[in-house]
Amino acid sequence: MEQILFKNMASPGYTPKISSYIAMGGYEALQKVFSEKITSDQLIEMVKKSGLRGRGGAGFPTGTKWSFIPKNPALTKYLCINADEGEPGTFKDRQLMEKDPHQMLEGIVISAYAIGAHTAYIYVRGELDLAMKTIEEAIEEARKKGFVGKNILSSGFDLEVYVHPGAGAYICGEETALLESLEGKRGKPRFKPPFPANFGLYGKPTVVNNVETLSNIPYIVNRGGEWFASIGVGKSTGTRLFSLSGHVKKPGNYEVPLGTTFRQLIFDLGGGIINGKKLKAIIPGGASASFFTEEHLDVKLDFEEVAKAGSMLGSGAVTVMDEETCMVWAALNLMHFFSHESCGKCTPCREGAPWLYKIMHRIEHGEGKMEDLDLLVSLCGNIAGKTVCAFGEAEVAPILGTLKYFRQEYEYHIREKSCPINHSERLATIGFP
Ligand SMILES: Cc1cc2nc3c(=O)[nH]c(=O)nc-3n(C[C@H](O)[C@H](O)[C@H](O)COP(=O)(O)O)c2cc1C
Ligand code: SF4
């Protein structure tokens, strides 16, 4: 299983310094772009051919996204790098930024050239101090070598790269909220259309791409779109980083070709469930993704296959829960997060999230009624698809997923006024947000 993005950092003695990156062949792709006079159209074609899809959540084809940017050279354009990584359970971009910042930076310079942007902003979650410091140092090292700044490698192409800290609000990871936040406003999503490709940062054409997405670009340039497309399965090409957490023996970030199964990831790489317990549930793609169970272990980590099975690959976080996890508690825990993080722009989400949380809270605490289950479903139906951003679909996913597979646990809580799994110490930990 060839590693692409984790290959450098797995090499003994590798550091985030530019000398380490160059010793591993770093910045050769950037030099190739300028020495072989590869045009921006050719780069976009190459990325289209690779089949690379966004690693931030939605899985939109990267080359196609770039091709929406108007070609007019007189227009100011921006590249914004989404390094906000706020999805609970997701911690892969952090590792890329802290351990191999030049890989991302080389991807940024090539991508900015491809779309004709002369300014790039890396929007980093504010808590990630080390990542920000490491990237700032990387930018200065790259500037000294002529890879960033004016007249990069004597090509006539200029690019300034800035790091912008966010304040740790989950919604600022949503691309239009990120743009609002960069402009100095409250991070609330914009209505779409217009899409950022036409009306983005300061109203100018803008591409927003995830850290992992852009880190793949140097390898696609070096080895070709066909090579990248030959890894993976169907329309899910390349490798992907999965943040494995929860009740597994070996949690951590794993790079695997798309098409690997959940069983291989959780049992072969993650070592299986801790304390010899049985697997009960999996969140397959971050807190916004609906739950899977043991019956989904042979589903492939493939955008289409996971969607067909009723969930999504999302941000690449795979959270594993053992047989002693109360599913009502797990859904309540996630609702606590969503209820706290709603930005409040639209009524169904602003009012609906705390209401869902309130109902979940009373069920978990033995004060629910059977009618609450229908109320939950009806409320979820009045939120999903009726909001400005995809947060609306995200917040109903844990409830609908647990109701689908673990309805009997909800019924037990209501009927018996207690939990089928004794976890009284956990009950005390979730109050009202
Ligand atoms: C509520 C919400 C939070 C999001 N958080 C992130 C995030 O932290 N990082 C990220 O890359 N994308 C996040 N996204 C997805 C972005 O809106 C966008 O699709 C992505 O950054 C595009 O980059 P890509 O095409 O490279 O995936 C989020 C979306 C939503 C709805
Ligand atoms: S769905 Fe929620 S988070 Fe998204 S804009 Fe509406 S209120 Fe804000």
Side-chain angles (χ1 to χ4, degrees), residues 1 13 27 43 48 56 95 99 108-109 139 150 158 161 172 192 283 340 350 409:
M1 217 165 5
Y27 288 108
L43 274 172
K48 275 189 182 169
Q95 185 167 342
K99 304 279 185 208
I108 290 171
V109 183
I139 294 170
K150 291 244 170 290
D158 304 334
V161 185
C172 288
K192 290 194 276 193
I283 306 181
H340 181 261
R350 184 186 60 244
E409 286 193 21

Side-chain angles (χ1 to χ4, degrees), residues 3 10 17 19 35 38 44 57 85 93 102 110 113 116 120 124 134 142 175 178 180 217-218 292 334 349 354 410:
Q3 305 260 291
K17 294 273 165 225
S19 51
S35 64
I38 301 177
I44 293 172
E85 193 157 69
D93 295 339
H102 284 284
I110 298 170
Y113 170 74
V124 187
T134 311
E175 59 181 8
L178 183 151
E180 290 283 298
I217 299 298
F292 275 173
L334 289 163
C349 174
Y410 281 82

Side-chain angles (χ1 to χ4, degrees), residues 176 190-196 198-199:
T176 58
R190 297 175 182 170
F191 287 95
K192 290 194 276 193
F195 290 93
N198 290 309
F199 189 91

Side-chain angles (χ1 to χ4, degrees), residues 166-368:
Y170 172 56
I171 197 59
C172 288
E174 195 281 338
E175 59 181 8
T176 58
L178 183 151
L179 298 175
E180 290 283 298
S181 173
L182 265 175
E183 289 179 5
K185 300 179 225 153
R186 286 188 73 153
K188 293 194 177 193
R190 297 175 182 170
F191 287 95
K192 290 194 276 193
F195 290 93
N198 290 309
F199 189 91
L201 189 63
Y202 306 117
K204 306 291 183 201
T206 302
V207 163
V208 181
N209 270 145
N210 169 261
V211 169
E212 182 187 347
T213 311
L214 296 180
S215 299
N216 278 297
I217 299 298
Y219 304 98
I220 293 173
V221 170
N222 273 330
R223 301 174 72 175
E226 291 85 355
W227 160 78
F228 193 85
S230 72
I231 306 165
V233 62
K235 289 194 213 155
S236 298
T237 61
T239 62
R240 194 158 177 201
L241 307 183
F242 290 98
S243 303
L244 183 64
S245 69
H247 297 132
V248 281
K249 288 189 185 144
K250 292 188 277 177
N253 286 320
Y254 292 94
E255 180 174 18
V256 293
L258 283 161
T260 303
T261 63
F262 282 95
R263 188 185 300 280
Q264 287 169 313
L265 177 68
I266 295 168
F267 286 90
D268 298 349
L269 296 168
I273 313 303
I274 45 176
N275 301 326
K277 299 262 161 53
K278 268 183 65 188
L279 173 89
K280 183 170 187 179
I282 309 165
I283 306 181
S288 320
S290 188
F291 283 61
F292 275 173
T293 65
E294 206 180 4
E295 73 188 63
H296 298 97
L297 274 175
D298 293 312
V299 170
K300 291 192 175 96
L301 296 153
D302 159 351
F303 289 100
E304 275 69 38
E305 197 171 310
V306 171
K308 225 178 350 170
S311 191
M312 62 173 186
L313 268 193
S315 63
V318 177
T319 307
V320 174
M321 296 173 198
D322 71 15
E323 57 191 321
E324 293 191 350
T325 311
C326 165
M327 286 299 127
V328 177
W329 173 83
L332 173 68
N333 197 337
L334 289 163
M335 270 323 295
H336 185 261
F337 169 78
F338 285 119
S339 176
H340 181 261
E341 294 293 328
S342 169
C343 85
K345 180 161 180 156
C346 40
T347 314
C349 174
R350 184 186 60 244
E351 300 296 327
W355 191 5
L356 284 173
Y357 179 75
K358 221 185 236 176
I359 301 168
M360 292 294 299
H361 195 271
R362 68 173 178 247
I363 295 174
E364 167 71 354
H365 288 79
E367 291 156 9

